[in-house]
Amino acid sequence: MQAKWVVCVDWEGDGSFGGSFADVTGDVLGLALEHFRDLASGYMESARLDLELRNDDHRYSPPNAASPLAGSLAPGRRVWVRAAYPFDSLSGTAGARLAGRTPDLGAGLAWAEHGGGFEVAPTGTGVRATAQAGARVAVIDFGSPDVSLGCRFTRSGTASHGGLCLRRSAAGYVYVRVTGSAIEVREARAGGSDTLVASAAHAWPNGAENFLCVAMHGSDMSVYVEDDAVLEASSSFNASATSHGLYAGGAAGHGWRDFGGWASLFHGRIDAIQPRPRRGAQYCYVRAFDEMERLGAVTLYTYATAQLPQTTGEILGHILDYAGVDAARRKLDDGAALVPDTFSPAIWGVKALDEIHRLQDEEDGLVYVDGHGRWRLEARNHRSAGPHTGTLATVTDAGGGTGPYFSDLVWDDGAGNVENVVFMRIRGYTNHGLRTAWTLAEKPAFRASESRDFLAEGTDYDTLGGQLTPTANTDYRANTKRDGSGDDITAQVAVSYPDTATYNGKGTLVRVAFGATAGYLTLLRMRTLNAITYDDPVILRADDAASRRAHGDRTRSIEARWTRESDTALAAIRSRLKGRKEPRTTLRLTVANGSGANLALVLQRGVSDRVRVRYPAMGIDGAFFVEGRAITVSEGCTEVKGTLLLREA
């Protein structure tokens, strides 16, 4: 079985994958994608993509000045990988109807029209809605209500609208339509009721073709145009219906092509480009990581400024803001209220990824970057609510049926990940009010008109808030002699805090600019309205005696930065203890592309999805959460093998 693959690189660095050489799919000899959770620490690893590209003409060789990509072959370029199963180009004989048609990739599946009215365009490429009036849909049964799907959609200049049909049954359907100025999610119920669920302004010019995609996750629906999330909606209507496809609101010239179960598998940036010029086999390796890798090198000098109380989601959002993460590439649960009623602690001189891991521990949740390149926060109760309480697929050891199967299995009892004594150390605070938080010890010489920057860091206090604007002769002074004698030239000196957005919470950047007279800076200090120290720690403990007897003491200690209150800390460590006090079986399933159900399993099922694994001969029959996957593609994107990491639910 085969899927349709698209691999794009934004070589031009303009935020678009529409450049002349952006689509590199035709040059892909193979790819390997890995994205796993470390089950011992609980942290998600960065997704890693390795591409092998055909390079006979040295197009992908950075030293080649004759390459059409010369000057653009550099780390940091965005990469987007997506794949579809089933897939239908929607091309063929002009005038042919969709009803009964078998998709290009999807043996055993067929299109069904409801209301009629879809036919292959006169050009033979793509389908269009016929001239008949009234809404109509054409769908394929994907076998699952929770899938990601999309197509290339062209809007025509008519009053009726078109888009995608979701979860169609005799009771009606949910649909996404493009109006030209907005994108809407609506419910069309049998009997004529048509209700708006959600909408977002979005300009879609007549005649323009864009990739329109919808990812369904229980009642949640995310709508994407190209690789940008444009609308979030929630609808539980027809929640179990498994047929999805095209929607037309009436007679129109809209066009649809390249429809399929499009799943976005990777969105990240190039880390390395390594040509391998070997006679008779010119190729190039490209390695890329998702954005989590970049945040391992970003240092924080800040504190969260959201309105109190501050939740895990708000704090994570501030960290991502500081690290330069696109605000549109996030989907964060609120999480627990960690900081109740005072200044957030400073996160000063620490790596962003380390702080995200600390925050994840205090929430007892999960932070990762998904295949769309969106940062996700799953709060501690995320998996205990729908759709994670229902099974999205059943995987067995037996092929030949309609469901997915595995070809190899690695079993582990999970005892190595047990924790049965969990500590959390929290601290209260004392606000000492107005204080001098930092003083420059030396008295440096300045040339006339010279400017220097100093990074002021208060070491006597844990958090500084509300630095006072520097005042002459109080916070700074300058003289023509180092001992403070000579002429007083303070009036010629300007002192400012030019970048409190980048440096705040425990200090800030101080800029000193001398005027026409050279001299010495004889005083420089920083005062703050709020000088906070954190009190002696309070240590909260949760343990499970039965687990300790069975497995010995397995201790985890969490040094909280954000959590202030005992009840909040206890809730977090009790949650952690509940999920880790007993061994939870882990499985690594190898899934070959021997069936359409296997391809759909590998492409569509992602982190936190719940699946059932049945292997009666070994005594395995239970629910598992997906904790990661690997996909290997070879033979020019025709051979696919998947690996799923699963942990007992």
Side-chain angles (χ1 to χ4, degrees), residues 94-304:
R97 298 293 294 272
L98 268 187
R101 172 187 170 111
T102 299
D104 298 339
L105 303 175
L109 302 177
W111 284 93
E113 292 188 43
H114 300 277
F118 291 93
E119 63 182 27
V120 176
T123 60
T125 301
V127 301
R128 66 177 184 177
T130 61
Q132 73 180 64
R136 82 297 299 267
V137 299
V139 295
I140 296 172
D141 190 345
F142 280 59
S144 175
D146 277 21
V147 295
S148 180
L149 60 98
C151 69
R152 305 295 302 178
F153 177 71
T154 302
R155 174 174 169 76
S156 68
T158 58
S160 63
H161 309 304
L164 296 171
C165 173
L166 316 172
R167 296 178 176 169
R168 191 269 168 193
S169 75
Y173 52 89
V174 181
Y175 66 99
V176 175
R177 73 179 192 181
V178 179
T179 71
S181 60
I183 293 179
E184 300 176 344
V185 174
R186 306 183 69 93
E187 296 174 356
R189 298 176 182 259
S193 172
D194 191 294
T195 306
L196 175 67
V197 176
S199 67
H202 186 85
W204 194 308
N206 293 330
E209 182 186 70
N210 291 297
F211 179 64
L212 177 65
C213 177
V214 183
M216 290 173 283
H217 182 68
S219 60
D220 291 339
M221 299 179 182
S222 300
V223 183
Y224 299 85
V225 177
E226 297 301 330
D227 68 323
D228 294 326
V230 297
L231 176 61
E232 296 291 331
S234 180
S235 173
S236 58
F237 176 56
N238 263 11
S240 61
T242 59
S243 293
H244 321 284
L246 315 181
Y247 164 83
H254 306 313
W256 295 260
R257 69 181 181 93
D258 292 351
F259 173 84
W262 285 104
S264 188
L265 302 174
F266 178 85
H267 196 293
R269 294 183 182 272
I270 290 176
D271 179 69
I273 302 173
Q274 299 174 327
R276 291 291 188 272
R278 188 173 65 190
R279 187 176 298 276
Q282 306 278 4
Y283 57 97
C284 178
Y285 284 130
V286 176
R287 175 168 293 171
F289 293 95
D290 71 18
E291 196 170 36
M292 186 170 278
E293 180 79 5
R294 181 180 70 84
L295 266 64
V298 174
T299 304
L300 304 174
Y301 297 94
T302 186
Y303 69 110

